Amino acid sequence: MDKEKIISIVTEKFKLVRTENNYTQDKMAEVLGISKKTLVQIEKQRTPCGWTTTVALCALFRESSILQNAMGGDPMEVVELTAHDVIARPKERTMGGHVWWRTIQEDKGYRLQQNILSNHYRILDSESYRWFSTLNEEAALEEFTRILEENHTI
């Protein structure tokens, strides 16, 4: 998924996210730091969200079921991957990938998965903690092999 696709999804779902949270247009504009006029233009899909507004909406409403269903999980993970290409940070617990994920490889408790909507990859351990995320399949496979070798599971 690229920036334009994320912007398109957020623009399309903007009003639904606002109503999901029972916010007025005034309150939503205030929360996002945009004018009400801009908000109305976005909601009527006369103008797309800018990247900054898109990121703000995804960050502030990351628990939105509307955004999660449109992006295949945590919208901020998709935004971060689009901005950085790879996320390799301390482990973060996930829900295990039962909805938007397909397992590519599994070995000794580690799973390499691909998101069926955004197509990004991640590596989880046996307790569903995320070790690595990327948009690049080759990088995901290399990291999966490295983690298995480091943990003596090959």
Side-chain angles (χ1 to χ4, degrees):
M1 202 174 288
D2 60 15
K3 280 185 181 181
E4 288 77 25
K5 180 66 174 169
I6 294 170
I7 289 169
S8 174
I9 289 169
V10 169
T11 299
E12 179 183 323
K13 303 297 182 185
F14 197 94
K15 184 175 182 179
L16 292 173
V17 172
R18 178 178 64 78
T19 57
E20 176 185 43
N21 287 278
N22 295 317
Y23 279 11
T24 64
Q25 288 180 329
D26 289 323
K27 176 67 175 175
M28 188 68 145
E30 177 188 329
V31 167
L32 293 173
I34 61 176
S35 69
K36 183 177 176 182
K37 181 179 176 182
T38 299
L39 181 137
V40 170
Q41 294 298 312
I42 293 168
E43 285 191 352
K44 291 185 176 184
Q45 297 187 16
R46 292 181 183 150
T47 186
C49 292
W51 180 243
T52 303
T53 302
T54 298
V55 172
L57 188 94
C58 289
L60 295 170
F61 299 94
R62 76 186 304 163
E63 300 299 323
S64 164
S65 61
I66 290 165
L67 286 178
Q68 289 183 4
N69 287 329
M71 293 191 185
D74 182 357
M76 277 310 295
E77 182 180 1
V78 177
V79 166
E80 282 183 282
L81 283 171
T82 301
H84 302 295
D85 294 330
V86 171
I87 301 172
R89 62 175 178 249
K91 297 185 286 182
E92 178 179 281
R93 185 108 195 231
T94 69
M95 294 178 64
H98 301 291
V99 180
W100 298 293
W101 298 90
R102 69 180 178 96
T103 299
I104 306 288
Q105 287 187 33
E106 190 166 0
D107 192 355
K108 309 283 193 222
Y110 290 92
R111 287 173 285 162
L112 172 60
Q113 296 181 322
Q114 183 178 27
N115 187 287
I116 60 173
L117 295 178
S118 67
N119 292 316
H120 76 277
Y121 300 87
R122 71 180 182 183
I123 299 170
L124 304 180
D125 65 15
S126 61
E127 295 179 11
S128 297
Y129 281 90
R130 179 178 29 243
W131 285 55
F132 183 82
S133 296
T134 183
L135 292 166
N136 184 298
E137 181 180 16
E138 186 177 325
L141 290 166
E142 287 173 10
E143 185 66 12
F144 187 71
T145 301
R146 189 192 68 72
I147 288 171
L148 292 176
E149 288 172 352
E150 261 186 21
N151 291 286
H152 308 291
T153 57
I154 289 184

